[in-house]
Amino acid sequence: MISLKHVSKWYDRFQVLSDCTTEVKKGEVVVVCGPSGSGKSTLIKAVNGLEPIQEGTILVDGIAVNDPKTNLAQLRARVGMVFQHFELFPHLSIIENLTLAQVKVLNRSKSEAEKKGLALLDRVGLSSHAHKFPSQLSGGQQQRVAIARALCMDPIAMLFDEPTSALDPEMINEVLDVMVELAYEGMTMMVVTHEMGFAKKVAHRILFMDEGRIVEDTNKDDFFNNPQSERAKDFLAKILH
Ligand SMILES: Nc1ncnc2c1ncn2[C@@H]1O[C@H](COP(=O)(O)OP(=O)(O)OP(=O)(O)O)[C@@H](O)[C@H]1O
Ligand SMILES: [Mg+2]
């Protein structure tokens, strides 16, 4: 579903991604972790073309993301992305947030879009909040709306960049629960997170990044029980204590 081959990227002379090669198969959940500044956000943003790359190729469902002929707006409509900050439109109600792109990008009728929006709002446990505004919801609730909004577009894959790291601790689980459910339903997911409990529960593979490189790309059990690199060992020792 997602394939990266020899991807490199520079900011001026600073190399932020170095020769990154990996793939995410349909239905696979891949967790990306690593120290701050290692390039995790840059890698995941490159997957839906939010960050251009200078070398290598990225294919999403066979579409070359870094081909100038590719319609990135169309690609992004099919790949859901959820960031650390919820980025809902503050001046639109929750249901309007959920329907806007469905109508504008997918040309759905307003009533069809609302039906879908309400169904997904129900799925994240927020159906009674449809007519509120984002500022009237908690951070965890807003993040669940952001996930529902992405799902309204019938994405072929979902990308998450630290979706729980800006949340108060008591709200983290309500968001992770939604993500766990998605994973169990077979959604293809690439998730940057330091929530190792989530990784242990649903990840098929772990990518560990350091200084712009994918240092480990292994199945979950090998990563947790038998990390190969010193850097991953250090990282795990810090994060698990
Ligand atoms: N627009 C930019 N211009 C220059 N350098 C940048 C830019 N964005 C990111 N960087 C640098 O690229 C490196 C990787 O950044 P990135 O945000 O991908 O790291 P990360 O692994 O997501 O870190 P964190 O865990 O803190 O979110 C960092 O050294 C960062 O300072
Ligand atoms: Mg980041």
Side-chain angles (χ1 to χ4, degrees), residues 75-109:
L75 175 81
R76 285 183 201 134
R78 306 184 64 206
V79 180
M81 175 119 198
V82 176
F83 297 95
Q84 184 172 2
H85 296 285
F86 335 117
E87 299 179 24
L88 301 175
F89 293 114
H91 59 294
L92 297 181
S93 69
I94 299 306
I95 189 67
E96 287 166 339
N97 264 283
L98 293 174
T99 52
L100 184 72
Q102 292 189 66
V103 172
K104 291 228 150 129
V105 182
L106 302 182
N107 295 317
R108 288 185 181 147
S109 70

Side-chain angles (χ1 to χ4, degrees), residues 11 14 16-17 34-43 45 51 84 161-162 192 194 209:
Y11 286 118
F14 174 71
V16 56
L17 296 176
S36 181
S38 57
K40 306 178 298 291
S41 295
T42 308
L43 184 83
K45 284 188 203 152
E51 288 285 357
Q84 184 172 2
D161 189 359
E162 301 206 39
V192 178
H194 290 156
M209 295 191 67

